[in-house]
């Protein structure tokens, strides 16, 4: 543990002209007293660490010293390519590997390029989850991620509705979609590729056996295809509505954007009042009610009759609440 910290300290000082004890302590997640002891240990080992005293002082390497400990390990190299998604790295247990990889790359760069990592991180950041959503990382995600990196077969217990099933899986890849983690895996018995929500795993055990990865498997392409199939599969019902011009603009924010766009493109011309009649594929009437209520008076439900009656009842309740002369809260 300490040896790894000392190496990281040397790489930090090699990448920057000077660092204070407080800065090093924050980077290495130790106390400033530990930094003092580590600097002394490096000096005794022949690493020319020099301490500048005073309020503006700090630690630096002298004499153009450069370590040769900059070779990337496999896990560090793989993590480096994910360094633009820090939240995902933390959840998969790869944050330390990515940090070490960035330091090694920075140490190997010319001095004029050593601020490239900082420059990029201040200009691009990926925040995957949607607004107002706080999805905790699945407890078993690090174990699944390890199996994915090592191409190890796993035995997984999976919660499906009211029951649990056990599956032997070949874990091919992980996908983070709107804050939810999914595993794309092949079932050895059938050879089929399937998608599993990782938060529905109740147990995962990786074996010693490694599977032979199909080199033609394309994770982004597979996910795009399955996601489109899923989106279509859940739309089992239809509703017919009349939308105002404002309703048409707001529709993509109330339901799936692709569905909204395709439905409006297939719609006819506006009627005399400027409203457009649109047929929308929906999951069911309950979901449609929730989605379309967000449009308020900008939408009129025409069919099915049951959904129209629910909107009429809701409109009557609203009229009662906001009726002329009614005092707030009365």
């Amino acid at each position: 543990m300490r040896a790894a910290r000392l190496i990281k300290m040397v790489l930090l000082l090699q990448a920057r002209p000077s660092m204070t004890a407080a800065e090093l302590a924050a980077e290495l997640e130790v106390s400033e007293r530990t930094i003092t002891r580590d600097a002394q240990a490096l000096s005794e080992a022949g690493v020319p660490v020099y301490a500048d005293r005073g309020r503006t002082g700090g630690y630096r390497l002298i004499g153009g010293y450069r370590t040769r400990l900059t070779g990337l390990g496999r896990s560090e190299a793989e993590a480096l390519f994910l360094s633009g998604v820090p939240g995902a790295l933390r959840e998969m247990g790869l944050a330390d590997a990515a940090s070490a990889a960035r330091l090694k790359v920075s140490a190997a760069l010319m001095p004029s390029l050593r601020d490239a990592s900082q420059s990029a991180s201040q200009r691009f950041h990926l925040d995957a989850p949607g607004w107002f959503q706080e999805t905790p990382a699945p407890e078993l995600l690090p174990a699944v991620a390890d199996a994915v990196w090592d191409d190890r077969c796993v035995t997984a217990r999976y919660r499906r509705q009211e029951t649990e099933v056990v599956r032997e899986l070949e874990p091919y890849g992980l996908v983070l979609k709107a804050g939810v983690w999914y595993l794309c895996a092949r079932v050895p018995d059938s050879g089929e590729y399937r998608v599993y929500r990782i938060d529905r795993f109740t147990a995962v055990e990786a074996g010693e056996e490694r599977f032979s990865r199909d080199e033609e498997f394309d994770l982004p392409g597979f996910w795009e295809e399955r996601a489109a199939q899923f989106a279509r599969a859940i739309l089992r019902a239809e509703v017919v509505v009349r939308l105002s011009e404002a309703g048409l603009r707001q529709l993509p924010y109330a339901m799936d954007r692709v569905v909204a766009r395709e439905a409006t493109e297939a719609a006819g011309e506006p009627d005399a009042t400027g409203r457009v009649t649109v047929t929308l594929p929906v999951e069911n009437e309950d979901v449609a009610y929730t989605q379309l209520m967000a449009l308020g008076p900008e939408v009129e439900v025409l069919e099915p009759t049951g959904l129209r009656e629910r909107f009429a009842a809701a409109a009557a309740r609203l009229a009662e609440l906001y009726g002329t002369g009614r005092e707030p809260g009365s």
Side-chain angles (χ1 to χ4, degrees):
M1 183 70 177
R2 190 190 186 199
R5 188 175 70 243
L6 292 174
I7 292 172
K8 190 172 183 179
M9 183 173 175
V10 172
L11 292 172
L12 283 168
L13 294 174
Q14 185 171 309
R16 307 179 193 179
S18 177
M19 293 184 70
T20 66
E23 290 172 337
L24 285 167
E27 287 278 0
L28 300 175
E29 299 180 348
V30 294
S31 68
E32 292 187 33
R33 291 186 65 181
T34 299
I35 294 299
T36 301
R37 290 195 296 267
D38 286 352
Q40 180 65 32
L42 287 171
S43 180
E44 292 174 356
V47 179
V49 178
Y50 180 78
D52 290 315
R53 305 298 178 184
R55 188 174 59 182
T56 61
Y59 292 92
R60 60 187 175 88
L61 295 175
I62 61 176
Y65 179 86
R66 295 186 63 81
T67 176
R68 296 182 180 273
L69 299 173
T70 54
L72 289 178
R74 181 173 182 82
S75 63
E76 295 168 345
E78 290 170 337
L80 185 61
F81 287 99
L82 295 171
S83 59
V85 282
L89 282 168
R90 286 193 300 271
E91 293 176 3
M92 288 190 291
L94 294 173
D96 288 343
S99 175
R102 286 192 293 269
L103 277 173
K104 289 182 178 181
V105 170
S106 180
L109 291 173
M110 296 172 56
S112 60
L113 298 178
R114 286 179 189 163
D115 66 343
S117 175
Q118 178 72 7
S119 176
S121 67
Q122 295 304 316
R123 287 166 173 79
F124 176 77
H125 175 71
L126 176 62
D127 185 7
W131 285 105
F132 314 116
Q133 296 179 7
E134 187 174 347
T135 307
E139 182 179 345
L140 295 173
L141 176 60
V144 176
D146 285 344
V148 169
W149 288 118
D150 289 343
D151 292 341
R152 291 188 182 276
C153 299
V154 300
T155 301
R157 185 176 293 275
Y158 187 77
R159 188 173 64 254
R160 189 171 63 185
Q161 296 179 348
E162 302 301 322
T163 62
E164 287 190 355
V165 297
V166 178
R167 291 282 185 268
E168 300 293 330
L169 301 173
E170 296 175 352
Y172 265 64
L174 293 168
V175 174
L176 177 60
K177 170 70 171 179
V180 180
W181 284 95
Y182 296 88
L183 172 67
C184 300
R186 183 168 62 183
V187 181
D189 292 341
S190 64
E192 294 180 358
Y193 292 95
R194 298 179 184 175
V195 176
Y196 300 88
R197 276 185 62 145
I198 294 181
D199 58 8
R200 292 180 182 168
F201 285 131
T202 59
V204 173
E205 183 178 349
E208 295 299 321
E209 180 185 357
R210 285 185 167 85
F211 63 90
S212 297
R213 179 176 289 268
D214 181 357
E215 297 301 329
E216 295 184 0
F217 178 79
D218 175 25
L219 180 60
F222 171 79
W223 175 258
E224 182 178 3
E225 179 183 346
R226 287 302 173 91
Q229 290 176 359
F230 173 77
R232 297 297 181 188
I234 64 173
L235 303 179
R236 301 186 180 93
E238 285 187 347
V239 298
V240 181
V241 299
R242 290 173 71 235
L243 293 165
S244 67
E245 184 177 346
L248 283 171
R249 292 195 303 268
Q250 297 169 19
L251 186 61
Y253 301 99
M255 61 192 314
D256 182 82
R257 291 176 178 269
V258 175
V259 169
R261 186 187 70 245
E262 292 179 352
T264 53
E265 288 176 351
E269 295 296 321
D271 59 20
T273 65
R275 290 186 173 245
V276 175
T277 300
V278 176
T279 300
L280 296 170
V282 296
E283 187 172 345
N284 54 53
E285 287 190 20
D286 289 336
V287 173
Y289 177 80
T290 301
Q291 292 174 328
L292 295 175
M293 276 294 290
L295 301 181
E298 307 305 328
V299 62
E300 177 190 1
V301 176
L302 303 180
E303 298 177 10
T305 303
L307 184 59
R308 180 178 175 86
E309 290 173 350
R310 289 178 67 178
F311 270 79
R317 294 198 303 272
L318 285 170
E320 182 180 353
L321 286 173
Y322 295 97
T324 303
R326 182 181 174 89
E327 292 295 327
S330 64

